[in-house]
Amino acid sequence: MLRAGIVGLPNVGKSTLFNAITKQNILAANYPFATIDPNVGVVNVPDIRMNVLNDMYMPERLIMASYEFTDIAGLVKGASNGEGLGNKFLSHIREVDAIVEVVRCFNDSNIIHVEGSCDPIRDVEIINLELAISDLEIVNNRLQKVEKKAMTTKDSDSLIEVEALKKAKEALEKSIPLREVKFSEEEKIKIKSFQFLTEKPIIYLANISESELASPDNDYVKKLKDYVGTTSKVIKVCCKVESELAELSIEDKEEMLSMLGIATSGLDDLINATYELLGLKTYFTVGSDEVRAWTFKDGMNARDCAGLIHTDFKEGFIKAEVISYDDLVSAGSETKVKELGKLRIEGKDYLMQDGDICHFRFNR
């Protein structure tokens, strides 16, 4: 299961956000390091198509697409040198696939700010610098071990690794995150095992006050968006409101959103954005026993997608019977889809598309 890590300075709303995402009652306290060990929760991906398929098939089980969100202890200046929770924090980030960086974008004298004032750009730079310093330390240590050997032996694999590490070192020394560096495919393979923090895709979550939810971006959010530019995405959320919405029924949630003057939950936006950020799509298996959403990486073929269900499906793959979601909804039933000639038979190299409804045939 793919994972996203929620990070940020202490007291910016991380644990409140996590409570809302997972509906779990973890400690959310108004002081630094209230969260010490990472808290992990499985999150369903909002998908209206699942409601439609559920009504169509009336299955015994409905299983949504999901992935993990991890709430990680607050980072402070100097974490890469052991300040605060230091390297323990950083090691937890290395284990996730994407980062959600919560940034405080509201004033409240009752909530302590570890830096003494609200300044989203400063806060982002503190965290990003600590991540870059941590990555740079790994790069320098590894270069010391492999550079001399590579120059002596002229081993092609070692030379590729050294070239990638030098490229990384140059970027990090200029405070350029590795996600913005163009590595060759061979270089990417060589540095993948290091799990560099600044190489991970990132979303910035601007935590605002309830009174500003239906208003245009405040100055803090504007500054954050200008700073981030087109390199990442900024999503505006009130973590406090989201934690309240999480406790409501669907009907009450819709009523509260209407009262707040907003169309959708910020959490739904965040979950879908993170799903998109990781390059994930969804295919479905359907029947009276179960309707299920399966998560796959964009670009995966039918055989590999079959393997997500069971390795036997991949190893004995024969073919995939595929119906597009839109065709099924338009026709109203699988029987009608077949009558219209819109059921497709696809081979192992077929590139799965988002919304495909599949039945795999395989040798047992």
Side-chain angles (χ1 to χ4, degrees):
M1 183 179 292
L2 289 163
R3 291 169 290 182
I6 304 172
V7 304
L9 292 175
N11 298 336
V12 296
K14 301 182 313 304
S15 293
T16 304
L17 174 69
F18 183 82
N19 286 344
I21 287 175
T22 62
K23 299 183 182 179
Q24 293 183 26
N25 186 27
I26 62 165
L27 177 63
N30 182 25
Y31 55 88
F33 313 126
T35 308
I36 297 177
D37 295 314
N39 297 275
V40 179
V42 177
V43 180
N44 286 333
V45 178
D47 194 332
I48 192 66
R49 295 174 297 184
M50 289 292 283
N51 298 336
V52 175
L53 294 173
N54 185 55
D55 292 342
M56 187 175 291
Y57 288 90
M58 301 296 289
E60 296 177 13
R61 297 181 303 278
L62 185 70
I63 304 177
M64 308 281 285
S66 60
Y67 58 91
E68 286 182 358
F69 263 108
T70 303
D71 177 39
I72 301 170
L75 180 63
V76 295
K77 189 182 297 182
S80 56
N81 295 319
E83 294 295 326
L85 295 171
N87 291 324
K88 183 175 182 180
F89 169 94
L90 297 172
S91 68
H92 291 318
I93 306 181
R94 294 197 187 282
E95 297 169 4
V96 303
D97 302 289
I99 295 172
V100 176
E101 187 169 329
V102 182
V103 185
R104 181 168 159 180
C105 290
F106 66 92
N107 292 313
D108 189 334
S109 59
N110 295 316
I111 300 178
I112 302 165
H113 193 295
V114 72
E115 289 294 320
S117 63
C118 184
D119 184 341
I121 307 307
R122 177 205 59 209
D123 294 354
V124 166
E125 289 181 340
I126 286 173
I127 288 184
N128 291 353
L129 177 60
E130 295 303 325
L131 303 186
I133 291 172
S134 182
D135 280 352
L136 186 57
E137 182 180 2
I138 290 175
V139 168
N140 286 333
N141 289 341
R142 183 61 182 170
L143 271 174
Q144 289 178 1
K145 293 180 180 178
V146 300
E147 187 171 15
K148 186 175 181 180
K149 174 188 173 184
M151 296 302 105
T152 301
T153 65
K154 303 298 181 182
D155 173 68
S156 59
D157 284 346
S158 296
L159 288 170
I160 292 170
E161 181 181 349
V162 167
E163 183 62 28
L165 290 171
K166 285 184 174 180
K167 193 180 291 186
K169 178 181 173 69
E170 181 180 358
L172 292 168
E173 288 178 341
K174 295 177 181 178
S175 297
I176 299 172
L178 298 185
R179 74 182 71 90
E180 296 179 19
V181 177
K182 294 189 180 300
F183 293 103
S184 69
E185 290 304 314
E186 289 179 320
E187 289 172 341
K188 288 178 183 177
I189 292 171
K190 289 300 174 187
I191 65 174
K192 183 178 180 181
S193 62
F194 299 116
Q195 296 181 303
F196 287 126
L197 302 174
T198 63
E199 192 179 17
K200 297 180 186 297
I202 189 168
I203 287 178
Y204 294 95
L205 190 147
N207 186 15
I208 61 172
S209 65
E210 179 178 345
S211 62
E212 296 175 311
L213 263 178
S215 304
D217 294 345
N218 65 28
D219 289 342
Y220 291 138
V221 176
K222 288 177 182 177
K223 288 178 182 178
L224 181 59
K225 287 184 175 180
D226 287 343
Y227 178 82
V228 170
T230 59
T231 60
S232 297
K233 193 167 187 176
V234 175
I235 294 179
K236 192 167 63 171
V237 170
C238 175
C239 294
K240 180 177 179 292
V241 166
E242 295 298 333
S243 67
E244 295 170 359
L245 287 169
E247 301 300 324
L248 302 178
S249 66
I250 294 175
E251 293 78 13
D252 288 343
K253 177 180 176 180
E254 289 177 353
E255 183 178 347
M256 184 172 176
L257 288 173
S258 177
M259 289 174 59
L260 291 168
I262 54 178
T264 59
S265 160
L267 274 185
D268 287 351
D269 294 340
L270 171 62
I271 292 169
N272 285 319
T274 310
Y275 198 69
E276 181 182 348
L277 179 72
L278 293 171
L280 304 179
K281 295 185 180 298
T282 303
Y283 77 84
F284 305 100
T285 53
V286 297
S288 59
D289 59 335
E290 178 182 283
V291 167
R292 181 164 183 165
W294 298 89
T295 301
F296 69 96
K297 279 268 192 182
D298 191 21
M300 285 179 65
N301 62 34
R303 183 170 179 266
D304 289 335
C305 283
L308 297 175
I309 299 175
H310 198 284
T311 53
D312 289 350
F313 282 38
K314 180 176 180 178
E315 293 169 1
F317 182 92
I318 299 174
K319 63 182 178 180
E321 298 177 359
V322 182
I323 300 172
S324 76
Y325 171 81
D326 289 340
D327 285 343
L328 177 63
V329 172
S330 177
S333 70
E334 285 189 36
T335 301
K336 189 64 175 179
V337 168
K338 293 173 184 177
E339 290 176 2
L340 295 171
K342 292 188 176 181
L343 171 69
R344 309 192 310 275
I345 305 299
E346 303 287 1
K348 64 180 182 180
D349 294 326
Y350 167 71
L351 294 182
M352 197 71 75
Q353 300 299 304
D354 185 61
D356 279 348
I357 296 166
C358 302
H359 173 69
F360 296 106
R361 295 193 175 182
F362 64 101
N363 287 319
R364 297 181 184 275

